[in-house]
Amino acid sequence: EVVSDFMSRNLITFEEDVDLVEICDCLIQRNIRRVPILSKGKLVGIISRRDIVRFILKLRQTTGRGAGI
């Protein structure tokens, strides 16, 4: 067996300058956990639900109030 037997196809991706709320909506609507992030068509990272939750919690700690993304 080879990697192509297991890899995902037809990926949903986002460019790195997309608004975080748009990514959140996609993760929720499509019930996915993570999406690749591209810069000019090249992979530069992956963002997950966990990354977003950590960001919100960190923002909440630094501002002392609820996070308004």
Side-chain angles (χ1 to χ4, degrees), residues 3-12:
V3 173
S4 63
D5 293 336
F6 300 96
M7 67 184 196
S8 299
R9 300 191 191 297
N10 303 320
L11 294 178
I12 297 168

Side-chain angles (χ1 to χ4, degrees), residues 24-65:
C24 289
D25 285 341
C26 176
L27 293 174
I28 292 167
Q29 296 293 329
R30 297 187 178 251
N31 196 29
I32 53 180
R33 291 185 221 151
R34 58 189 67 84
V35 291
I37 305 300
L38 309 177
S39 175
K40 300 177 186 173
K42 291 195 164 210
L43 180 67
V44 293
I46 296 174
I47 192 163
S48 68
R49 288 181 180 203
R50 174 185 265 175
D51 296 329
I52 295 168
V53 169
R54 284 183 179 163
F55 168 77
I56 292 169
L57 291 174
K58 184 177 180 181
L59 185 64
R60 187 175 187 191
Q61 289 173 350
T62 60
T63 63
R65 59 189 236 282

